[in-house]
Amino acid sequence: MLNCRGAYILGAVLLVGTNLCGLAIPWLMKLAIEGLQAPTSQGRFTPAQYGGMIAVAAVAQGVIRVFSRTTLLNAGRRIEFLLREDLYGKLLTLDRTYFSNWRTGDILSRLANDLTNVRMLLGFGVLSLLNTVVVYTAALFLLTRISPFLTICAIAPFPLMIYIVKRLSASMFRCSKRMQEALSRLTARVEENVSAASVVKAYCREEGEIETFRQACGGYLEASMGVARLRGWMLPVMASTGAFGTLIVLFIGGGQVIRGELTLGGFVAFNGYLAMLVWPTIMFGWILNLMQRGAASMTRLGEILHASAEVVEPDEPVDPGVIEGGIEYRNLTFSYGTAKMLRGINLKIRKGERIGIVGVVGSGKSTLVRLIPRLFPIADGTLFVDGIDLNRISLDKVRSAVGFVPQESFLFSRSIADNIGYGKPGATREEIERAARIAGLAGDIARFPQGFETLVGERGVTLSGGQKQRVAIARALIKEPSILILDDPLSAVDADTEEEILSALSGYYGERTVLIVSHRLSPLRGCDRIIVMEQGAIVEQGNHAELLELGGRYEAIHREEQLKAEIERL
Amino acid sequence: MHFGGIYEDETVGKIYDRRLMGRFVGYVAPYRRLIVVALLLLPFIAASKLAQPWILKMAIDSHITKGVMAGLPSLATGFLGIILAESLFSFAEVYLLQYVGQKVMYDIRVQLFSHLQRLSARFFDQTPVGSLVSRLTSDIEVVGEMFAAGIVTVVGDVLVLAGIVGIMLWMNVRLSLVTFSVLPLLIWVAFTFRNWMRVAFRQVRSRQANLSAFLAESIGGMAVVQLFNRERDEAREFRRLNSSYMEANLPVITWDAALYAVVESLSSIAVALIIWYGGGEIVKGNLSFGALVAFIQYIEKFFSPIRDMSAKYSVMQGAMASLERIFGLLDKEGKEPESKPQPPGPSAPAPKQGLQQICFKDIWFAYSDEDYVLKGFSLEMRRGEKVALVGETGGGKTTVTRLLSRLYEINRGSIAIDGVDIREMSLQSLRRRIGVVLQDPYLFSGTIEYNISLGDPEALQRVEQAAAMVGADRFIRELPKGYQEEVRERGVNFSAGERQLISFARAVAFDPEILVLDEATASVDTASERLIQQGLEGLMQGRTTLVVAHRLSTIRDADRIVVIHRGEKAEEGTHAELMSAKALYYRLYQLQFKD
């Protein structure tokens, strides 16, 4: 933001320039009127020449004004741009822990509304503040030049005004706060109502809901009117202070002119300068408001900027060279919030091994694999890749070696080709098509009118759950990772497609280490070893035959599935 | 990977804006009286503004230049009076307009909210909560800004301008014409700039939409971004959108600054013209000093409303974008089904003798297109019967319960209560007869009392009785504030079992004839399990109950069990009958209930 300092200095200088031109105009008027009153005196210009000078000053004022405003306001926009950049850059470094604690709507509203408030403060706010200071200083200087006594009389009402404004802005702060609170209550009501639409319908509470919403709106209306009342007073108070000044000048200054202590030109110019003070004074109240709002918003943005990720880059990264895919958990325990997700995990996975992980909901099977691409923070010395502590390897290295297919397939509103190619920047069409084929997508894509160029999401086609999952798989495959992690990837795919994908995948695996998490056993066929998890611990492991023979949890799950299959066949 | 093409809407025409504005005026219309009052105040405000230079002129011409001190005090008093009057009138003006603005926002908000209440369950399945919330909050706020920014007072500004023109012409026609000679230039500049600004604003609007769409998506998919190491690319794309948004703003700033500067300079040039021409007139004795000074003051008052035109214009543009979204939601189709007009006479619902029978006949239903969830499902229930629905996940059990409340419209077949098709009843009277307990009980923020009664006056009478029936009263009475204890968002300050009991009490408080119960699948701790078990007994007592069963005790106590398989009724009977048949139910029982 340092490079914006120059812009502010330049803007300030230009602002002084434009205001000097503006201030010259009443002075020229004073000289002109004095000239008109005493047409005979020597060394004076004609009214036409004064007129010309005013016109020149006016044009100069206008030209410099354009530059001063654009310089300062552009600087405000520029800072907004940089701040938004910083905020987004920060968000990119934050981990899942952060995003699960913050609501997306909240982050978005901070990046929109609060950023606007800050920009207003840094653009218009600074502009108006500088303007006020320049105009006040210059006008007061010139006023004293005309008549020091009259100046003191004219600004006499100002302390009173400042007092009133101060009082008003204090209550303004309270009222605005009350208003914001009412608004957030209203927002909460809408949010609840929309989320619980089925409850509302089931109990026929539509009318009642409308009534409570009406009340929330009423509360907000009342709070807003409180602010409106204050705003309503602020403006006339500001405006009439200026008029009071004129009144005093009229009464006292008029007398002075009559007594010959002041020229008529001086009197007119004095009035002109006084009039110039009115607008900046009104603006000043507005600036106070902007400053309070901007400061509050800046603290809200600061909460994002100062947030710290728990998953961080190592201080002294170890370069593992090419990650080959050996994984080792050493007595790993992991808690999420207060809940213990994994307890004392000891597991050694050889490079190229295919591991299946099975267990009920909440058994910790997904958590186990999510730790490998470091989605969550882990303690030092608990998880090793190729024998190196995972926390010592840079995030870049780890994540480029890991292909991860998450449970919930998130796709971007881009084309299917872009979504698959996301896994490998600069991927060729052949690579994309190959990945799509392995993931069993080829047939689906051929049916879309625009094939690979079909847009996904709100503005494009809506993919089925199974199609989304397969795009996510293709996206991970194209990366050619040494470690491939599939976190329940085929839950929304029917049995036939599953079969097809699994056989295509087994040709792809090669030397890669593969971890497949599933709540069903069918995707785990062909795994070298199957891990059964329960309550965050590994309870059984071995190959299919061994585990069946063991007659434990795995055997029970297997039995259940056979029963299910029987039901299916009925 | 560009987003540019997705959200382009830079071509929205000005006719469109006019239509939006026309529709908006309809919302202001009910307050036309207040607007008229506000407009009637304007001449007074204008007059007091216009009188001030005039008093100055009188002071100079009749007193100061003539050296007459007498009468100056009374002029000063008059001046004071006018200032006070102006303050009072402008306060009333600002207050009135803000009031109308707030009222209009209130009306739109309530209308939009009421409209939402009438939309179907299908609509809520498809629409993200966040987008509805922002329509009802921030978009309406932006519309309200139009009143705060004084767009309505544009009328008043025009009035003041007309007044000034009139007075100036009356004071001195030739001097006025000299002043007005700058006007054609001003009008040309204003109109030209307005067109340029409109173009610039449209660009800002659409680029802003791109930026926020990208941001929303990126935050949603942050894990994917990080997993694929694409932070740098995303940051680059964001920078592109961010800077294109900033760049779109720069012309707006420039046009705005230029307009401001031109108006300011032209007002000074007008003053220069007056000095040049008026000076000559004074020398010739055709014009008084006071008139000249007053003229100069009028010029300043003339130009100031023109100066903030551009600010008002930008507020208008923002409001247009928001109005578009608000009206878009208001025009959303997909209301809940209306009831067919009831045929008079025999088929009208039998009055007050109580429920006798519910009949599902050959129901076909699909959530989307031809993907049928229920295929010719039939079921008959008699008064006081307890029927349990059993089947695989996704087999259509929950769907049956939803159709009974007519949350969705069936594709084929009919559901009748005591021989009356539910499509012939009003939604209100149908749903009043059915009490629904959902799998995942939804608690609102508010008191426990509110959560049981949902604010319904009749239910409010039965809150404590209902809580006692399901056994919720014990834990509620132990709370520091009892029934007035605050429930936080989604009921996070209560255990799963307690939340269930509150929702049971809710169903009982509405005293429905028919109870629809979707039992929770999620396992709960043993303490909660015991609470729920006791609650269920109180809940079902004396009601015709349809339950999606996940609990062993429920199926054992049921009068009849209906097994749904692939959208059809596969088996029916008591637990003992079905177990001895050793078919589908037998296996499902082993899979789902035996533990």
Side-chain angles (χ1 to χ4, degrees), chain A residues 345-504:
Chain A
I345 301 284
N346 281 299
L347 178 65
K348 207 163 178 176
I349 299 166
R350 286 184 315 276
K351 165 194 169 207
E353 209 178 355
R354 293 171 204 174
I355 302 285
I357 303 167
V358 70
V360 297
V361 176
S363 61
K365 57 186 191 303
S366 290
T367 311
L368 188 72
V369 295
R370 282 180 189 162
L371 297 180
I372 298 172
R374 290 191 68 196
L375 285 177
F376 294 105
I378 43 166
D380 286 342
T382 53
L383 184 52
F384 296 81
V385 168
D386 289 351
I388 305 167
D389 188 336
L390 194 61
N391 283 351
R392 304 282 310 272
I393 308 174
S394 74
L395 284 171
D396 257 37
K397 277 271 179 209
V398 177
R399 289 181 179 159
S400 54
V402 175
F404 190 95
V405 182
Q407 234 166 39
E408 294 191 1
S409 0
F410 179 90
L411 301 186
F412 293 94
S413 314
R414 308 175 189 181
S415 71
I416 292 179
D418 282 346
N419 266 297
I420 297 175
Y422 196 80
K424 185 179 182 184
T428 63
R429 179 46 70 91
E430 284 73 43
E431 288 172 311
I432 291 174
E433 283 174 10
R434 180 170 166 264
R437 215 166 32 244
I438 301 173
L441 263 175
D444 297 77
I445 292 174
R447 276 194 295 278
F448 291 134
Q450 282 151 304
F452 278 94
E453 295 312 315
T454 307
L455 283 177
V456 171
E458 265 182 72
R459 303 265 170 148
V461 297
T462 313
L463 299 184
S464 73
Q467 287 170 331
K468 277 193 199 163
Q469 284 187 335
R470 282 175 280 153
V471 173
I473 292 174
R475 179 171 64 188
L477 297 182
I478 202 170
K479 207 171 163 181
E480 303 277 350
S482 7
I483 303 170
L484 179 66
I485 301 172
L486 305 165
D487 189 357
D488 217 349
L490 299 169
S491 59
V493 171
D494 61 72
D496 294 341
T497 320
E498 180 180 299
E499 190 59 52
E500 189 191 320
I501 298 171
L502 284 174
S503 66

Side-chain angles (χ1 to χ4, degrees), chain B residues 89-126:
Chain B
F89 288 141
S90 11
F91 172 73
E93 169 84 17
V94 170
Y95 191 77
L96 268 177
L97 287 177
Q98 283 279 318
Y99 182 72
V100 172
Q102 290 293 333
K103 275 290 199 188
V104 168
M105 282 159 70
Y106 175 90
D107 291 347
I108 297 181
R109 217 173 243 141
V110 172
Q111 193 201 357
L112 198 57
F113 188 82
S114 311
H115 177 73
L116 272 187
Q117 305 308 304
R118 309 225 179 336
L119 289 174
S120 66
R122 239 177 244 274
F123 170 82
F124 289 100
D125 293 344
Q126 291 160 355

Side-chain angles (χ1 to χ4, degrees), chain A residues 88 94 220 413 422 566 568, chain B residues 141 217-218 230 566 587:
Chain A
Y88 184 71
L94 293 173
Y220 179 58
S413 314
Y422 196 80
E566 266 177 55
E568 268 301 312
Chain B
E141 289 301 299
E217 188 168 279
S218 186
R230 296 298 294 268
R566 296 189 184 160
R587 292 184 173 82

Side-chain angles (χ1 to χ4, degrees), chain B residues 214-337:
Chain B
F214 178 89
L215 200 57
E217 188 168 279
S218 186
I219 292 175
M222 192 55 83
V224 173
V225 174
Q226 292 174 347
L227 277 170
F228 285 91
N229 262 332
R230 296 298 294 268
E231 290 96 331
R232 246 158 299 176
D233 305 85
E234 293 296 309
R236 196 178 320 120
E237 181 63 17
F238 184 74
R239 173 180 284 265
R240 192 181 72 77
L241 291 168
N242 191 11
S243 69
S244 91
Y245 170 63
M246 181 189 68
E247 275 154 23
N249 272 300
L250 300 186
V252 173
I253 292 175
T254 310
W255 296 130
D256 183 55
L259 186 61
Y260 184 93
V262 166
V263 174
E264 193 181 51
S265 298
L266 280 180
S267 91
S268 297
I269 287 172
V271 171
L273 287 173
I274 295 295
I275 300 271
W276 160 70
Y277 183 77
E281 294 287 287
I282 288 179
V283 174
K284 283 183 234 156
N286 290 343
L287 186 72
S288 69
F289 268 109
L292 185 71
V293 173
F295 241 93
I296 292 171
Q297 287 228 338
Y298 280 125
I299 289 172
E300 271 155 17
K301 286 200 192 293
F302 183 82
F303 281 92
S304 83
I306 298 177
R307 211 160 47 179
D308 24 278
M309 200 177 76
S310 65
K312 290 179 184 175
Y313 189 69
S314 78
V315 172
M316 276 257 298
Q317 284 291 323
M320 284 303 149
S322 290
L323 276 177
E324 200 178 316
R325 285 195 288 269
I326 292 168
F327 290 149
L329 181 54
L330 269 178
D331 294 341
K332 201 86 192 171
E333 302 281 331
K335 281 203 177 185
E336 284 214 82

Side-chain angles (χ1 to χ4, degrees), chain B residues 250-432:
Chain B
L250 300 186
V252 173
I253 292 175
T254 310
W255 296 130
D256 183 55
L259 186 61
Y260 184 93
V262 166
V263 174
E264 193 181 51
S265 298
L266 280 180
S267 91
S268 297
I269 287 172
V271 171
L273 287 173
I274 295 295
I275 300 271
W276 160 70
Y277 183 77
E281 294 287 287
I282 288 179
V283 174
K284 283 183 234 156
N286 290 343
L287 186 72
S288 69
F289 268 109
L292 185 71
V293 173
F295 241 93
I296 292 171
Q297 287 228 338
Y298 280 125
I299 289 172
E300 271 155 17
K301 286 200 192 293
F302 183 82
F303 281 92
S304 83
I306 298 177
R307 211 160 47 179
D308 24 278
M309 200 177 76
S310 65
K312 290 179 184 175
Y313 189 69
S314 78
V315 172
M316 276 257 298
Q317 284 291 323
M320 284 303 149
S322 290
L323 276 177
E324 200 178 316
R325 285 195 288 269
I326 292 168
F327 290 149
L329 181 54
L330 269 178
D331 294 341
K332 201 86 192 171
E333 302 281 331
K335 281 203 177 185
E336 284 214 82
E338 295 290 330
S339 300
K340 281 183 201 155
Q342 281 189 13
S347 65
K352 292 292 163 207
Q353 90 203 100
L355 173 87
Q356 297 301 324
Q357 168 212 53
I358 303 169
C359 181
F360 291 78
K361 208 166 141 197
D362 195 27
I363 305 287
W364 285 74
F365 175 76
Y367 284 100
S368 61
D369 299 332
E370 295 286 293
D371 201 1
Y372 284 100
V373 180
L374 292 179
K375 302 167 196 162
F377 174 80
S378 295
L379 171 68
E380 248 179 79
M381 287 173 75
R382 285 176 305 279
R383 180 196 183 103
E385 214 183 359
K386 200 180 292 173
V387 174
L389 295 175
V390 169
E392 283 178 277
T393 322
K397 292 168 294 178
T398 303
T399 307
V400 171
T401 66
R402 285 182 185 158
L403 293 179
L404 179 60
S405 306
R406 216 175 157 210
L407 283 176
Y408 298 86
E409 199 77 311
I410 46 177
N411 299 49
R412 255 185 287 162
S414 71
I415 302 174
I417 296 177
D418 293 343
V420 181
D421 193 310
I422 59 167
R423 282 169 292 198
E424 285 169 13
M425 303 176 192
S426 76
L427 281 174
Q428 178 92 8
S429 67
L430 169 69
R431 290 180 185 164
R432 268 274 161 189

Side-chain angles (χ1 to χ4, degrees), chain B residues 329-547:
Chain B
L329 181 54
L330 269 178
D331 294 341
K332 201 86 192 171
E333 302 281 331
K335 281 203 177 185
E336 284 214 82
E338 295 290 330
S339 300
K340 281 183 201 155
Q342 281 189 13
S347 65
K352 292 292 163 207
Q353 90 203 100
L355 173 87
Q356 297 301 324
Q357 168 212 53
I358 303 169
C359 181
F360 291 78
K361 208 166 141 197
D362 195 27
I363 305 287
W364 285 74
F365 175 76
Y367 284 100
S368 61
D369 299 332
E370 295 286 293
D371 201 1
Y372 284 100
V373 180
L374 292 179
K375 302 167 196 162
F377 174 80
S378 295
L379 171 68
E380 248 179 79
M381 287 173 75
R382 285 176 305 279
R383 180 196 183 103
E385 214 183 359
K386 200 180 292 173
V387 174
L389 295 175
V390 169
E392 283 178 277
T393 322
K397 292 168 294 178
T398 303
T399 307
V400 171
T401 66
R402 285 182 185 158
L403 293 179
L404 179 60
S405 306
R406 216 175 157 210
L407 283 176
Y408 298 86
E409 199 77 311
I410 46 177
N411 299 49
R412 255 185 287 162
S414 71
I415 302 174
I417 296 177
D418 293 343
V420 181
D421 193 310
I422 59 167
R423 282 169 292 198
E424 285 169 13
M425 303 176 192
S426 76
L427 281 174
Q428 178 92 8
S429 67
L430 169 69
R431 290 180 185 164
R432 268 274 161 189
R433 303 177 77 171
I434 305 170
V436 180
V437 178
L438 299 171
Q439 231 180 62
D440 180 21
Y442 192 96
L443 295 197
F444 296 88
S445 47
T447 60
I448 288 190
E449 186 184 76
Y450 176 80
N451 268 289
I452 294 177
S453 68
L454 293 179
D456 183 84
E458 265 179 59
L460 196 63
Q461 303 284 321
R462 287 192 289 263
V463 166
E464 297 197 17
Q465 191 193 335
M469 267 187 91
V470 300
D473 57 335
R474 264 160 296 169
F475 87 86
I476 296 174
R477 266 192 266 117
E478 276 167 29
L479 298 168
K481 287 194 206 153
Y483 286 88
Q484 301 307 319
E485 186 76 15
E486 281 298 317
V487 176
R488 292 217 306 272
E489 204 179 291
R490 309 273 147 101
V492 287
N493 49 341
F494 291 95
S495 76
E498 289 167 341
R499 286 204 294 268
Q500 271 290 359
L501 285 193
I502 294 174
S503 79
F504 288 174
R506 183 190 291 165
V508 172
F510 280 78
D511 195 22
E513 292 171 293
I514 306 165
L515 183 71
V516 169
L517 176 62
D518 201 346
E519 282 186 339
T521 41
S523 51
V524 287
D525 52 288
T526 29
S528 295
E529 178 64 37
R530 212 174 41 243
L531 275 178
I532 292 171
Q533 195 51 52
Q534 290 160 352
L536 274 171
E537 284 159 26
L539 179 63
M540 296 194 272
Q541 208 170 62
R543 290 176 222 282
T544 310
T545 306
L546 183 62
V547 48

Side-chain angles (χ1 to χ4, degrees), chain A residues 501-545:
Chain A
I501 298 171
L502 284 174
S503 66
L505 276 177
S506 60
Y508 169 87
Y509 291 155
E511 286 295 285
R512 298 175 223 280
T513 307
V514 180
L515 289 96
I516 307 176
V517 174
S518 178
H519 67 281
R520 290 178 301 151
L521 299 184
S522 54
L524 306 185
R525 269 170 297 155
C527 284
D528 301 325
R529 191 154 41 126
I530 292 167
I531 312 259
V532 183
M533 295 204 56
E534 208 169 76
Q535 295 188 330
I538 297 174
V539 289
E540 291 169 19
Q541 56 177 306
N543 63 33
H544 179 71

